[in-house]
Amino acid sequence: MSDEGRAQARRLGEWFRARQLEPAAVRSSPWCRCIDTAQLAFGRHMVWDALASPTGADAATRERRLAQLRDALAAVPAARFEVWVTHQFVLSDLTGNSTSSSEGLLLKAATDGGRPQVLARLNLA
């Protein structure tokens, strides 16, 4: 991760702390930059394979991971929020929206098990 990436991760954590927003859980892709981002921003993380980059994954693995993400998002109670640190390819597959580097999405689970709704975008680049 570059110095710029580390600074972005720290700004992300500062943004949440300034608003007194403490995530109930911080989940991260097993890839190093995601782990580093989660750790620098929130001081903790739990690696979750469902957030891994789809690069090199076969179609069945990709679909299984997407189903896990949709199910987990639907299971988050309304009064709780979690931070998931992942890759733009995962967000694109999950939501059908493209994102830029360092951009985050606030998601609401779909009631029909489909694509979640994007409620807001956060970019601290």
Side-chain angles (χ1 to χ4, degrees):
M1 178 181 281
S2 68
D3 288 342
E4 179 183 349
R6 285 188 287 279
Q8 288 172 346
R10 287 185 189 101
R11 280 196 306 273
L12 176 67
E14 290 165 6
W15 187 92
F16 278 89
R17 284 187 293 282
R19 288 153 183 81
Q20 298 179 347
L21 297 171
E22 179 66 29
V26 178
R27 299 182 188 200
S28 173
S29 161
W31 289 41
C32 295
R33 288 189 340 173
C34 290
I35 290 171
D36 292 346
T37 296
Q39 198 61 37
L40 286 168
F42 301 102
R44 62 193 169 97
H45 68 278
M46 178 178 66
V47 171
W48 187 24
D49 189 55
L51 293 170
S53 172
T55 302
D58 60 38
T61 299
R62 202 169 179 155
E63 282 305 315
R64 179 181 47 79
R65 288 177 180 166
L66 282 174
Q68 286 177 314
L69 294 173
R70 287 186 193 112
D71 291 348
L73 184 59
V76 175
R80 171 186 165 112
F81 88 95
E82 298 183 0
V83 172
W84 296 359
V85 182
T86 189
H87 311 272
Q88 72 183 73
F89 301 112
V90 174
L91 291 175
S92 179
D93 287 349
L94 184 61
T95 67
N97 289 270
S98 61
T99 56
S100 62
S101 179
S102 79
E103 185 175 26
L105 302 176
L106 177 63
L107 303 177
K108 178 181 178 183
T111 57
D112 63 0
R115 285 191 167 155
Q117 177 185 2
V118 176
L119 299 176
R121 291 174 175 265
L122 175 64
N123 193 334
L124 301 174

